[in-house]
Amino acid sequence: MAGKKQFDMDTALDAAMIQFWRAGYADTSVDDLSRATGLNRSSIYSSLGDKDTLFLRCLDRYAARYGDKYDAALSCAASEPLAAVRAFFDVTLERIADPELPDGCLIAQSAMAIPVLSPAVAAHARQALGFQRLRLRAALKAGRMTDQDAETFAVYAAAVNQSLAVMSRAGASPVQLLAIVDVTVDALSQALRAQRGRC
């Protein structure tokens, strides 16, 4: 029975995550979550928590799921920083292209909703957004960028990554999104060449 309950919990959390991802925090009610998960309101509160608690669990679930993929993509950064950053963006492009998933990005949506979130949830959304910058910064430093250049480019690349989700939700085509990535990777290539020239 414990195994079945765990499976049901995972299914319910995934359904809640998709609901928040599709509609956003503010436009998702507990009734929406009830319809999405198949659980009644009392079961949601007793098993998953109140709306804020459930949203935090979904945000953590999303960040962990895609964080693992981003980490794998960036794992070759020490030897191939350009390939690593392109692979990082490929994770986002593949997620955007998946017809089974909502458009956009749950973390990007959460960041844009910070003014209407409770202080605790807003802080969590900021932290989730910050993980991308930290992940990119570590990868770029491994690729032998200076601390300052790695920080600057990590902020830039993280912003571009979030913009891909926003642009896709606004109707940008896959070709347009790929062009944005190409420009960003080219900018990194130029930055790496300039840095080598200074050494």
Side-chain angles (χ1 to χ4, degrees):
M1 292 301 289
K4 188 173 189 308
K5 182 176 173 61
Q6 180 62 44
F7 172 79
D8 289 342
M9 180 68 73
D10 287 342
T11 302
L13 286 171
D14 276 343
M17 182 179 74
I18 293 293
Q19 174 61 40
F20 281 124
W21 188 352
R22 181 173 288 118
Y25 173 87
D27 290 330
T28 294
S29 67
V30 175
D31 286 338
D32 292 329
L33 292 166
S34 177
R35 282 189 290 274
T37 61
L39 300 172
N40 62 36
R41 291 172 65 98
S42 64
S43 293
I44 288 176
Y45 284 117
S46 63
S47 299
L48 303 175
D50 62 14
K51 180 180 169 180
D52 276 10
T53 300
L54 179 52
F55 181 69
L56 291 177
R57 293 178 73 175
C58 291
L59 196 58
D60 285 344
R61 191 174 186 83
Y62 181 96
R65 181 170 297 169
Y66 290 102
D68 288 345
K69 293 182 180 184
Y70 287 131
D71 286 339
L74 292 169
S75 63
C76 68
S79 58
E80 300 178 83
L82 289 177
V85 172
R86 183 168 287 282
F88 173 89
F89 285 123
D90 284 345
V91 171
T92 300
L93 294 176
E94 287 167 14
R95 187 191 70 227
I96 288 169
D98 188 338
E100 299 298 314
L101 297 175
D103 287 335
C105 165
L106 181 59
I107 292 174
Q109 281 177 255
S110 303
M112 290 186 287
I114 280 174
V116 300
L117 300 178
S118 70
V121 176
H124 212 75
R126 287 189 191 93
Q127 183 183 51
L129 189 61
F131 285 149
Q132 280 198 357
R133 178 186 61 80
L134 294 173
R135 179 177 283 121
L136 283 159
R137 185 179 188 275
L140 292 167
K141 283 188 67 179
R144 292 177 293 284
M145 268 194 153
T146 65
D147 285 355
Q148 182 177 348
D149 286 351
E151 173 66 18
T152 299
F153 201 90
V155 171
Y156 170 60
V160 169
N161 198 50
Q162 295 305 317
S163 77
L164 293 173
V166 175
M167 294 291 288
S168 75
R169 201 155 216 207
S173 71
V175 171
Q176 290 171 319
L177 298 177
L178 186 57
I180 293 168
V181 170
D182 288 343
V183 170
T184 305
V185 173
D186 185 59
L188 173 59
S189 177
Q190 292 179 42
L192 288 168
R193 282 199 303 270
Q195 183 169 289
R196 290 188 192 111
R198 294 195 299 266
C199 293

